[in-house]
Amino acid sequence: MKNSAPLALDLAGIKMNSPLVAASGCYGYGFEYGTWVDLREWGAIALQGTTLHPREGNRPPRLAETPSGMLNAVGLQNPGIKHFLQEVRPRLGELGCPVIANIAGESVAEYRELAAILDGVDEVSAVEINISCPNVRLGGISFGRDPVAVGELVSAVRGTYRGPLIVKLSMEASDLVAVGRAAESAGADALSLINTLKGMVIDIAARRPFLGNLTGGLSGPAIRPVAVRAVWEMAVAVRIPLIGMGGIASAEDALQFILAGASAVAVGTANFIDPHIAREINSGLRRFLEQEGLDHYSELIGAARDCPESR
Amino acid sequence: MKNSAPLALDLAGIKMNSPLVAASGCYGYGFEYGTWVDLREWGAIALQGTTLHPREGNRPPRLAETPSGMLNAVGLQNPGIKHFLQEVRPRLGELGCPVIANIAGESVAEYRELAAILDGVDEVSAVEINISCPNVRLGGISFGRDPVAVGELVSAVRGTYRGPLIVKLSMEASDLVAVGRAAESAGADALSLINTLKGMVIDIAARRPFLGNLTGGLSGPAIRPVAVRAVWEMAVAVRIPLIGMGGIASAEDALQFILAGASAVAVGTANFIDPHIAREINSGLRRFLEQEGLDHYSELIGAARDCPESR
Amino acid sequence: MEQTGELAHRCLLLENRELAEGWHLFELQAEGLVHADPGQFVQLRIGSATDPLLRRPLSIHYADAQRGRLRLLFQIAGSGTALAAQFRAGEELDLLGPFGRGFPHLDEKAPAIFVGGGIGMAPLFFAAAVRRGAGLPFKFLLGGRADAQLPPDEYFRSHGIEAQIVTDDGSRGDRGSVTLLLERSLENLSPPYRIHACGPMAMLSRVVELARPAGAAVHLSLESRMACGIGACLGCVHPFYRGEQIEYRRVCLEGPVFDGEEVVFEK
Amino acid sequence: MEQTGELAHRCLLLENRELAEGWHLFELQAEGLVHADPGQFVQLRIGSATDPLLRRPLSIHYADAQRGRLRLLFQIAGSGTALAAQFRAGEELDLLGPFGRGFPHLDEKAPAIFVGGGIGMAPLFFAAAVRRGAGLPFKFLLGGRADAQLPPDEYFRSHGIEAQIVTDDGSRGDRGSVTLLLERSLENLSPPYRIHACGPMAMLSRVVELARPAGAAVHLSLESRMACGIGACLGCVHPFYRGEQIEYRRVCLEGPVFDGEEVVFEK
Ligand SMILES: Cc1cc2nc3c(=O)[nH]c(=O)nc-3n(C[C@H](O)[C@H](O)[C@H](O)COP(=O)(O)OP(=O)(O)OC[C@H]3O[C@@H](n4cnc5c(N)ncnc54)[C@H](O)[C@@H]3O)c2cc1C
Ligand SMILES: Cc1cc2nc3c(=O)[nH]c(=O)nc-3n(C[C@H](O)[C@H](O)[C@H](O)COP(=O)(O)OP(=O)(O)OC[C@H]3O[C@@H](n4cnc5c(N)ncnc54)[C@H](O)[C@@H]3O)c2cc1C
Ligand SMILES: Cc1cc2nc3c(=O)[nH]c(=O)nc-3n(C[C@H](O)[C@H](O)[C@H](O)COP(=O)(O)O)c2cc1C
Ligand SMILES: Cc1cc2nc3c(=O)[nH]c(=O)nc-3n(C[C@H](O)[C@H](O)[C@H](O)COP(=O)(O)O)c2cc1C
Ligand code: FES
Ligand code: FES
């Protein structure tokens, strides 16, 4: 994983200049922010979720602010994989950093088909399968909850996609660690965690749920302690690298996840507040390494486990 | 449930002047705050958790602040049920409002014994069984996760305690709604939800978890959207009343839970910021009823479900 | 304007004035933002902590490119704007922008009618001032709740804007709604002209109805909850007609100003 | 003092002065708090939003009962105190208190030695001022990092306190730690006397060691993370010896001032 540059890494085959990933759904296709900011600060950009068929998404309002967090119920609005190949793919080279395609299906077959299509796409460095979107009702089957179902799903996708395969876990899982282990056994190369927590805001004046979709996914600093804990628990359970996320908004926050056991970290909501957040965090990480006299951030991965109580 | 006073209720046999409950573990035995504030603003006070044997609790630090929330890892420090009967019980009359005893055991037998002891205690209006404390390792068995285990536990306690029995649920449950239904079937008179979410903060300078117990329970406004959603989902699944909690700090917050389906609401963390919070919320609720031309708050229970999308 | 250059701006707050009841006018030193178009907006950060978390979108109310000065005008609507109202001269504000697409065709000869409902006048004021500067004809119609809840006449006049004002209670101008004013104006005017409106949805809907028989082009500035403001989160969408179909468009990127005929109004 | 009366206080901030590098002195109009004892503390709310969520415990640094004035003195230690440092004169602060048990025996004839490490001097100053007011003997020993990181001599003198100061770099007083000063003081003094100390744990531990041979009573003011401040949440506990046993006591209610012999120091 080590490299001459203090923040560079090879994450399950993705060559990254920094452990920072732009979190899926929070960074569009990269171009939106690319108009304004230097995308090379990112180790990789996870694109917004793509489905087989176009999806119009949920009815508005789709956003609600909550204490130190926000709910979103976008509902995977996207133009579908065909449009992606035609319109988005040719432009991905412009981004200047590795691209992770995030996919969601309504059945195992759909996930497989999406993965098979992306297997031939050089512009995409890795596929992240979202088994966890809390804002979409996928015909009743909630893939993310059950370790056996997740195992089957990942095996199926693994059969058609040869590049780095990341599985993004849901906190809705009946047993998060078991789901992570199932994904690993079925051939996942890395795990992303956590996705948003299912939440709700009631509009008391209207006496109804505020969001058009009733519930939404909670993201932002509010969920950070839950996310750090999830990474901590997963890090001892699997051998594949973890991409930690949930409320990261500073180098200090990122370090919490790394010390807990994450090899890389993703930033979602914080982009909305500070579009230059990747630059900020990278330079904060470099400063920390200098202060602590370390050559490479990977020396910190999981280092909080060395304390006596955690053995 | 209705009564002449706009905020009064009979919650599963507990006669309350207000739907506000002081949340367990956040209000000591009531006396600590009673020195300073008028406890009659509370509909009921849930005492700090009591165990069969004295517990010294977890090693400090036990608290960490997080964005719009806090982690605690008190670890059920308490002098045990014997001390409770001798020292606390005689003084409970002073509090001036109904008292809910919150109990936690290390085995079904312990819960039963605790409940049996409290069955004879007039000063206690109800028993709340905590199947969910995330800060205590109870010999490996985590009661709160599994519907079958919860059913057995509640049945056992139901056999020895004749008063109102409240079951406090854990978000760690593999399937929250199933656990709530199991508790109802086994004879629970009400459900409390939610308890804290398991979380963690890493001290990056020390490169170790900040809390002495490594992980802690996340409470406060940060978790409110998750708690409102939990109440919303549970309210359609069971017929027994719900005591909603998680981040309530204002009348507006309390109304979100009530509109989502809670018959009563509990306030924990917000007491630490505003010890007069019960008075504030009660008067806010009365103001809201007046504005909306309602006679009793119970007309609002679950009213957010009347919106077209939620049918 | 082209979307190049800096996105993030730290701007000195020169003045925070209560221009009407609950309306705050910020005068900022903001060289990087003064070339924005009328109808574009900024995202203001409120405080340095994580509650409130999201920025608040505010239209550019006026820009003085020569002096490098920018104005925002906002009404206290909730906790975020209440906190913003407490900012004091001398503080540095944290802004992103300019975002979105503004009012089109402001340089056309045909008269422009600006129709504002309450604080909806904020971006229209800038548009009117631009036309005024270019010597192009326009009308400025404004409705409010009461005299005290609108800026003083003098504020408009000092910028060469002759505002026609009505209030719900008749405490300034006639009693009535701004769409009544628009109806009257349209009687005296023959096409072509353009209508630009901003205000509550019910008012905007009525404006579109009134303009339709006259065949006048209408552009509306919409509001929506926003997170990114930049087109990346798909959070701020509103439904629009696209021929027979309805599609969601991002208020922050495709808007906030849209062709009134395409806006879907029913819930 | 008796714990009766009001718990919640809204107090006008009269002055916010930077007394030393990163040290802020608040002068408050606070009639309801001025009868507190030295060593007691208040819980200060930072902002009206939910981040930061918890109040911050601060010792009462000085109370002028006649003029109804209260002082807090704090060092910027993190985000909460950094925000507090921005409060301006004219704002109303939200305080709870007074909480806890203060320094005992301040009215005794036997000399008192106050030993402060850095900002730990905050509550000791009040205790010393009380003894000074009663004409009772005391010594005031203070250690700091450097001259600029301590209040000016004049600040002590104007309250009749003759502070003996050492600094880590020798930029004020001798170079060294405050426990060296204490060692010297004890050489020249014969029991009975009482020691009251506040500062970093390592310093407090050393103070207890030094006092033991002389058989002097030592009271220490401890710090701890707090939520309620009132004894209800069991969050702020520290371990103490109780005979052979170790037990947790609440710093907010049983403390913050404890008998030094009972404090457990090792991790
Ligand atoms: C492009 C655009 C330009 C705007 N220009 C102005 C302006 O010039 N002057 C002005 O006074 N107001 C303007 N607004 C509205 C302004 O953004 C909201 O009033 C403000 O965000 C409310 O924040 P709050 O915290 O005070 O209220 P909240 O307590 O958050 O909510 C109060 C109301 O404000 C709305 N609101 C809350 N958050 C947002 C958000 N992130 N985006 C949009 N609406 C939100 C809600 O729908 C709610 O009804 C504009 C909005 C948009 C989208
Ligand atoms: C009884 C008591 C009296 C005190 N009196 C003073 C005083 O007079 N002047 C002064 O400068 N400081 C005093 N302190 C310490 C002061 O409370 C902390 O420095 C302050 O809470 C730090 O908050 P922060 O947000 O700036 O720092 P944070 O970013 O929260 O943390 C910085 C450091 O402060 C400590 N800290 C954070 N929160 C708390 C908390 N709730 N309680 C205790 N420690 C905390 C942490 O251990 C951490 O190392 C006192 C503490 C106690 C318990
Ligand atoms: C507006 C929004 C849209 C999102 N869409 C997706 C998505 O399409 N696919 C996905 O895997 N995660 C999605 N997420 C989850 C984020 O990638 C991330 O896991 C989560 O927000 C926690 O990180 P944060 O707190 O840094 O935002 C979305 C999050 C937000 C806020
Ligand atoms: C310091 C602290 C101690 C707690 N102890 C208990 C407990 O002993 N038993 C219990 O059932 N819940 C306990 N809880 C959980 C609260 O009762 C409540 O469910 C939770 O904090 C969410 O509510 P809040 O956000 O209003 O605090 C504790 C919470 C806190 C903050
Ligand atoms: S606010 Fe994010 S897309 Fe418009
Ligand atoms: S801070 Fe709650 S018991 Fe001390």
Side-chain angles (χ1 to χ4, degrees):
Chain A
M1 182 161 297
K2 207 152 159 187
N3 189 297
S4 63
L7 297 180
L9 70 155
D10 179 323
L11 184 96
I14 319 170
K15 311 250 172 308
M16 293 164 53
N17 287 325
S18 154
L20 292 190
V21 177
S24 175
C26 302
Y27 222 72
Y29 291 118
F31 309 117
E32 295 81 357
Y33 278 101
T35 317
W36 298 98
V37 307
D38 184 359
L39 299 178
R40 287 166 307 180
E41 293 281 348
W42 294 108
I45 294 175
L47 306 182
Q48 63 172 80
T50 295
T51 53
L52 199 56
H53 305 293
R55 285 183 62 96
E56 65 171 6
N58 291 325
R59 55 179 296 178
R62 289 180 177 180
L63 300 176
E65 197 184 40
T66 69
S68 297
M70 59 173 277
L71 291 176
N72 90 79
V74 170
L76 281 174
Q77 176 180 336
N78 84 98
I81 189 76
K82 215 165 132 192
H83 173 99
F84 176 83
L85 292 176
Q86 286 167 2
E87 307 292 329
V88 181
R89 175 186 180 170
R91 298 182 56 204
L92 290 176
E94 297 170 27
L95 297 179
C97 73
V99 161
I100 300 171
N102 177 285
I103 60 172
E106 300 194 17
S107 63
V108 173
E110 277 197 16
Y111 275 101
R112 247 169 76 169
E113 197 175 337
L114 284 161
I117 294 169
L118 291 167
D119 188 54
V121 178
D122 289 343
E123 293 85 347
V124 167
S125 301
V127 163
E128 179 176 64
I129 63 178
N130 177 5
I131 56 169
S132 52
C133 182
N135 301 323
V136 189
R137 295 190 196 93
L138 297 175
I141 313 161
S142 186
F143 296 108
R145 298 188 67 106
D146 176 36
V148 178
V150 170
E152 283 169 14
L153 173 62
V154 175
S155 291
V157 171
R158 183 73 289 178
T160 57
Y161 183 73
R162 287 164 298 172
L165 184 61
I166 304 164
V167 176
K168 183 149 177 185
L169 304 176
S170 165
M171 292 302 284
E172 298 281 296
S174 54
D175 181 342
L176 187 70
V177 162
V179 171
R181 283 207 187 106
E184 179 181 43
S185 305
D189 298 308
L191 301 177
S192 276
L193 66 172
I194 63 173
N195 209 314
T196 55
L197 304 183
K198 201 168 162 194
M200 187 174 206
V201 165
I202 306 273
D203 180 337
I204 62 168
R207 295 194 206 166
R208 50 153 288 151
F210 182 82
L211 295 174
N213 185 52
L214 310 185
T215 61
L218 181 64
S219 65
I223 68 170
R224 194 195 307 139
V226 174
V228 172
R229 187 264 300 179
V231 167
W232 174 268
E233 286 177 358
M234 193 62 73
V236 282
V238 300
R239 285 158 179 275
I240 50 177
L242 306 181
I243 308 176
M245 69 194 80
I248 296 176
S250 70
E252 288 71 27
D253 299 344
L255 285 163
Q256 284 200 54
F257 284 81
I258 292 168
L259 289 165
S263 297
V265 292
V267 181
T269 303
N271 288 291
F272 309 153
I273 293 100
D274 179 4
H276 294 295
I277 190 84
R279 188 177 67 196
E280 288 297 312
I281 296 181
N282 280 327
S283 62
L285 290 177
R286 274 190 224 100
R287 234 178 0 251
F288 186 82
L289 293 179
E290 261 173 50
Q291 272 167 26
E292 305 276 313
L294 299 171
D295 290 332
H296 197 268
Y297 89 94
S298 60
E299 297 172 50
L300 295 169
I301 298 172
R305 313 196 146 273
D306 295 341
C307 76
E309 299 87 342
S310 71
R311 282 190 204 124
Chain B
M1 182 160 303
K2 205 150 156 184
N3 189 297
S4 62
L7 297 181
L9 73 153
D10 180 321
L11 183 96
I14 318 171
K15 311 251 171 311
M16 294 164 52
N17 287 325
S18 154
L20 293 190
V21 177
S24 177
C26 302
Y27 223 70
Y29 292 118
F31 310 117
E32 295 82 357
Y33 278 101
T35 318
W36 298 99
V37 309
D38 184 359
L39 299 178
R40 287 166 306 182
E41 294 281 348
W42 294 107
I45 294 174
L47 306 183
Q48 63 172 77
T50 296
T51 53
L52 199 55
H53 305 293
R55 284 182 62 96
E56 66 170 6
N58 291 324
R59 54 179 295 178
R62 289 180 176 181
L63 301 175
E65 198 184 42
T66 70
S68 296
M70 59 175 276
L71 291 176
N72 89 79
V74 170
L76 282 175
Q77 176 181 338
N78 84 99
I81 189 78
K82 215 165 133 192
H83 173 98
F84 176 82
L85 293 176
Q86 285 167 0
E87 305 291 329
V88 182
R89 176 187 181 170
R91 297 182 55 201
L92 290 175
E94 297 169 28
L95 297 178
C97 73
V99 161
I100 300 170
N102 178 284
I103 60 172
E106 299 194 17
S107 63
V108 173
E110 278 197 15
Y111 275 102
R112 245 170 78 171
E113 197 176 336
L114 284 162
I117 293 169
L118 290 167
D119 189 54
V121 179
D122 290 344
E123 294 85 348
V124 167
S125 300
V127 162
E128 179 176 65
I129 63 178
N130 178 3
I131 56 169
S132 53
C133 182
N135 301 323
V136 189
R137 296 190 196 94
L138 297 175
I141 313 162
S142 185
F143 296 109
R145 298 188 68 106
D146 175 37
V148 176
V150 170
E152 282 169 16
L153 173 62
V154 175
S155 291
V157 171
R158 183 74 289 178
T160 57
Y161 183 74
R162 287 163 298 171
L165 183 62
I166 304 163
V167 176
K168 184 149 177 186
L169 304 177
S170 165
M171 294 301 284
E172 298 281 297
S174 54
D175 180 341
L176 187 71
V177 161
V179 171
R181 283 206 186 106
E184 179 181 42
S185 306
D189 297 307
L191 301 177
S192 276
L193 66 174
I194 63 175
N195 209 314
T196 54
L197 304 182
K198 201 168 162 193
M200 187 173 206
V201 165
I202 307 273
D203 180 337
I204 61 168
R207 294 194 206 165
R208 49 153 290 151
F210 181 81
L211 295 174
N213 186 52
L214 310 184
T215 63
L218 181 64
S219 65
I223 68 170
R224 194 194 308 138
V226 174
V228 171
R229 187 264 300 177
V231 166
W232 174 269
E233 286 177 359
M234 193 63 72
V236 282
V238 300
R239 287 158 177 274
I240 49 177
L242 306 181
I243 307 177
M245 70 194 80
I248 295 177
S250 69
E252 289 71 27
D253 299 343
L255 284 163
Q256 285 199 54
F257 285 82
I258 292 167
L259 289 164
S263 297
V265 292
V267 181
T269 303
N271 288 291
F272 309 152
I273 293 100
D274 179 3
H276 294 296
I277 190 84
R279 187 176 69 196
E280 286 299 312
I281 296 181
N282 279 327
S283 62
L285 290 177
R286 275 190 222 100
R287 235 178 1 251
F288 186 82
L289 293 179
E290 261 175 48
Q291 271 167 26
E292 304 277 312
L294 299 172
D295 291 330
H296 196 269
Y297 89 93
S298 60
E299 296 173 50
L300 296 168
I301 298 172
R305 313 195 146 273
D306 295 342
C307 75
E309 299 87 341
S310 72
R311 280 189 204 122
Chain C
M1 78 160 263
E2 289 271 287
Q3 289 189 336
T4 52
E6 268 308 307
L7 173 62
H9 308 267
R10 300 204 64 92
C11 305
L12 187 67
L13 180 59
L14 300 168
E15 195 189 355
N16 171 2
R17 177 146 65 105
E18 196 171 351
L19 193 65
E21 260 177 42
W23 289 29
H24 285 257
L25 180 68
F26 282 178
E27 176 102 21
L28 296 159
Q29 197 64 41
E31 277 75 9
L33 284 163
V34 291
H35 298 287
D37 297 328
Q40 286 195 302
F41 67 97
V42 294
Q43 289 258 74
L44 173 66
R45 177 131 192 224
I46 318 279
S48 58
T50 62
D51 178 35
L53 181 69
L54 299 172
R55 289 169 179 269
R56 296 295 187 264
L58 293 176
S59 301
I60 293 173
H61 171 57
Y62 187 70
D64 180 339
Q66 236 133 40
R67 296 162 72 214
R69 296 211 175 162
L70 192 86
R71 282 193 213 154
L72 304 175
L73 179 63
F74 66 92
Q75 185 172 28
I76 297 180
S79 56
T81 44
L83 285 167
Q86 291 170 29
F87 286 138
R88 303 196 213 178
E91 290 188 66
E92 262 202 344
L93 304 195
D94 174 350
L95 301 176
L96 299 180
F99 290 124
R101 301 201 294 187
F103 296 103
H105 313 297
L106 287 180
D107 53 359
E108 275 185 8
K109 290 257 162 60
I113 310 178
F114 297 105
V115 190
I119 190 68
M121 64 76 85
L124 300 172
F125 184 94
F126 185 18
V130 163
R131 281 188 73 87
R132 161 82 205 188
L136 295 165
F138 67 91
K139 278 177 190 289
F140 196 92
L141 316 180
L142 174 59
R145 227 171 287 162
D147 183 27
Q149 279 152 49
L150 287 171
D153 282 326
E154 176 47 29
Y155 183 70
F156 298 95
R157 263 190 233 119
S158 64
H159 290 78
I161 297 171
E162 204 54 58
Q164 295 176 47
I165 293 179
V166 290
T167 50
D168 294 345
D169 64 357
S171 52
R172 174 140 37 130
D174 287 348
R175 181 193 302 261
S177 74
V178 71
T179 49
L180 273 174
L181 269 187
L182 176 63
E183 246 180 300
R184 273 189 239 152
S185 296
L186 294 187
E187 282 163 16
N188 306 326
L189 212 67
S190 47
Y193 49 78
R194 292 189 176 276
I195 301 175
H196 302 280
C198 184
M201 285 306 264
M203 177 206 116
L204 297 183
S205 163
R206 183 84 186 114
V207 168
V208 173
E209 271 171 40
L210 290 172
R212 201 169 288 138
V218 184
H219 282 89
L220 307 178
S221 179
L222 301 189
E223 287 193 8
S224 170
R225 296 230 151 199
M226 290 184 179
C228 71
I230 215 167
C233 76
L234 301 175
C236 64
V237 300
H238 186 89
F240 292 87
Y241 297 107
R242 183 189 185 166
E244 298 293 281
Q245 305 232 323
I246 290 183
E247 68 177 14
Y248 288 125
R249 294 182 199 153
R250 291 164 289 190
V251 173
C252 69
L253 193 71
E254 281 92 28
V257 176
F258 293 95
D259 182 336
E261 281 301 336
E262 296 179 358
V263 175
V264 177
F265 282 104
E266 60 274 304
K267 287 274 273 188
Chain D
M1 88 160 254
E2 288 271 288
Q3 289 189 336
T4 53
E6 268 306 309
L7 173 61
H9 307 268
R10 299 203 65 92
C11 304
L12 186 67
L13 180 60
L14 300 169
E15 195 189 355
N16 171 1
R17 178 146 64 104
E18 197 171 350
L19 192 64
E21 258 178 43
W23 288 30
H24 285 257
L25 180 68
F26 282 178
E27 175 102 21
L28 297 159
Q29 197 64 42
E31 276 76 9
L33 284 165
V34 290
H35 298 288
D37 296 328
Q40 287 194 301
F41 67 97
V42 295
Q43 289 257 71
L44 173 66
R45 177 133 191 220
I46 318 281
S48 58
T50 63
D51 178 34
L53 181 68
L54 299 173
R55 291 171 179 266
R56 294 296 187 267
L58 294 176
S59 302
I60 293 173
H61 171 58
Y62 187 70
D64 179 340
Q66 235 133 41
R67 296 162 73 213
R69 297 212 174 160
L70 192 85
R71 282 192 213 154
L72 304 175
L73 179 64
F74 65 92
Q75 184 171 29
I76 297 180
S79 56
T81 43
L83 285 167
Q86 291 170 29
F87 286 137
R88 302 196 213 178
E91 290 188 66
E92 261 200 347
L93 304 196
D94 175 349
L95 302 177
L96 300 180
F99 290 123
R101 300 202 293 186
F103 296 102
H105 312 297
L106 288 180
D107 51 359
E108 275 184 10
K109 290 253 162 63
I113 310 177
F114 297 105
V115 189
I119 190 68
M121 64 75 86
L124 300 174
F125 184 93
F126 186 18
V130 163
R131 281 188 72 86
R132 161 84 205 186
L136 295 166
F138 67 91
K139 279 176 189 290
F140 196 91
L141 316 181
L142 175 59
R145 226 171 289 161
D147 183 27
Q149 280 154 48
L150 287 172
D153 283 325
E154 177 47 30
Y155 184 69
F156 299 94
R157 264 190 232 118
S158 65
H159 289 78
I161 296 172
E162 204 56 55
Q164 294 176 47
I165 295 181
V166 289
T167 50
D168 293 345
D169 64 356
S171 53
R172 175 142 31 133
D174 287 349
R175 182 193 301 257
S177 74
V178 71
T179 48
L180 274 174
L181 270 187
L182 177 62
E183 248 180 298
R184 273 190 239 153
S185 295
L186 295 187
E187 282 164 15
N188 307 326
L189 213 68
S190 48
Y193 49 78
R194 291 190 175 276
I195 300 174
H196 302 280
C198 184
M201 284 307 262
M203 177 205 116
L204 297 183
S205 163
R206 183 83 186 115
V207 169
V208 173
E209 271 172 37
L210 290 173
R212 202 169 288 140
V218 183
H219 282 88
L220 307 178
S221 179
L222 300 190
E223 288 194 6
S224 170
R225 296 230 151 198
M226 291 185 179
C228 71
I230 215 168
C233 75
L234 301 176
C236 64
V237 299
H238 186 88
F240 292 87
Y241 297 108
R242 183 189 185 170
E244 298 293 281
Q245 306 231 320
I246 289 183
E247 68 176 16
Y248 289 125
R249 295 183 199 152
R250 292 165 289 190
V251 173
C252 69
L253 193 71
E254 281 92 28
V257 176
F258 294 94
D259 182 337
E261 281 299 337
E262 296 179 358
V263 175
V264 177
F265 283 103
E266 59 274 301
K267 287 275 278 189

